[in-house]
Amino acid sequence: EILISLVTLSCCGILPLDAVADFASLIQQILFPSQWHDVEASVTAAFFTNQFLLGDEVKTVAIATFKRCTTSEYPTSAFADMITDMWCMHQTDDTGAIASGEAVLQFVKKFS
């Protein structure tokens, strides 16, 4: 499914960095007119792939933010920042350490 692919490619650090903002915009354009119950399974599936390595705290915050995008106009720049931050955290050689590290704490504080 397209939404699963868009979310996985962008949030898991697979895309080139210069494509992340465009993908974030496209995801948000899909989410805003949608009902959460129509996209929840796709969004959740993307965060429960083997490619997502940032742990449950980031996953919870990200999914909650995606949900907010279906119920209100979440600022586009903040949404793109969140996805870019997840992309950046996936670029480290030791994502296992990231999942329990300072970067996660900062992410949760910034986007909760």
Side-chain angles (χ1 to χ4, degrees):
E1 169 169 325
I2 190 76
L3 187 56
I4 295 171
S5 296
L6 291 170
V7 174
T8 302
L9 290 169
S10 57
C11 295
C12 297
I14 299 167
L15 290 173
L17 180 57
D18 61 355
V20 172
D22 291 336
F23 270 60
S25 176
L26 181 56
I27 292 166
Q28 199 167 20
Q29 289 175 30
I30 292 168
L31 293 175
F32 183 66
S34 301
Q35 296 292 316
W36 177 243
H37 63 83
D38 293 332
V39 295
E40 180 179 12
S42 296
V43 169
T44 303
F47 285 103
F48 281 88
T49 65
N50 290 337
Q51 287 106 341
F52 189 80
L53 305 172
L54 303 179
D56 291 339
E57 290 180 279
V58 172
K59 188 181 303 181
T60 299
V61 169
I63 291 171
T65 302
F66 276 70
K67 183 177 183 178
R68 277 191 297 240
C69 288
T70 65
T71 59
S72 66
E73 290 223 27
Y74 192 81
T76 302
S77 62
F79 189 71
D81 286 349
M82 181 190 74
I83 291 178
T84 301
D85 284 2
M86 286 188 282
W87 185 96
C88 289
M89 286 190 285
H90 272 96
Q91 301 312 304
T92 183
D93 289 337
D94 191 6
T95 51
I98 292 287
S100 60
E102 183 65 29
V104 165
L105 296 175
Q106 291 174 359
F107 179 92
V108 170
K109 184 177 179 181
K110 182 176 179 180
F111 296 107
S112 290

